[in-house]
Amino acid sequence: MEASVTLEEILARKEAGIRELRERRQRRGERLARWVEGTPDSLEQGMAVLRSGLERTYCHARELQLRWVDVLRTSSREEVATLLRDPSEETEQLRACAPFAPPDTHR
């Protein structure tokens, strides 16, 4: 017979899941930051990804992509890498929509 789960256990599991998601996003941000720092044309590649996405009739993250266009136009690779490593909630959505897809970011 399965034991009943308490509200505290449910909340603890939810909190653990949120922590894991944030840690996974932070690891991805770190990998992207290292890739940006080590790839001389990374900002141009990111801009190409953005152009492609913004050309679509429907773009679910248009506002974030336009913010990335501004970031890539006005920032150095080092500044972009710093943004990708920033763990703050203020930049969480922006980091989640980063326009970079190096081969090793999905591990």
Side-chain angles (χ1 to χ4, degrees):
M1 181 176 221
E2 187 176 317
S4 63
V5 179
T6 67
L7 178 59
E8 290 80 20
E9 291 170 324
I10 293 170
L11 293 175
R13 289 178 188 168
K14 181 178 179 180
E15 190 63 36
I18 291 169
R19 269 193 314 275
E20 172 58 31
L21 176 63
R22 286 189 175 135
E23 289 168 6
R24 197 170 40 234
R25 285 181 177 167
Q26 197 62 41
R27 288 190 303 268
R28 180 178 182 270
E30 178 60 35
R31 285 191 298 269
L32 287 174
R34 286 193 313 264
W35 181 81
V36 165
E37 290 170 330
T39 306
D41 68 339
S42 58
L43 302 187
E44 291 81 6
Q45 288 184 40
M47 193 64 83
V49 168
L50 291 168
R51 274 195 228 84
S52 174
L54 290 168
E55 287 174 356
R56 294 186 199 125
T57 303
Y58 175 74
C59 178
H60 71 281
R62 183 171 298 279
E63 182 179 322
L64 291 169
Q65 289 182 339
L66 290 172
R67 283 191 60 205
W68 267 112
V69 167
D70 185 50
V71 167
L72 296 183
R73 284 185 179 155
T74 61
S75 303
S76 67
R77 286 190 353 241
E78 292 76 19
E79 291 167 327
V80 171
T82 297
L83 173 67
L84 291 167
R85 287 184 175 107
D86 181 359
S88 72
E89 288 185 29
E90 293 81 26
T91 60
E92 187 170 344
Q93 285 186 332
L94 190 60
R95 288 188 325 272
C97 290
F100 307 107
D104 67 334
T105 58
H106 300 291
R107 286 188 232 162

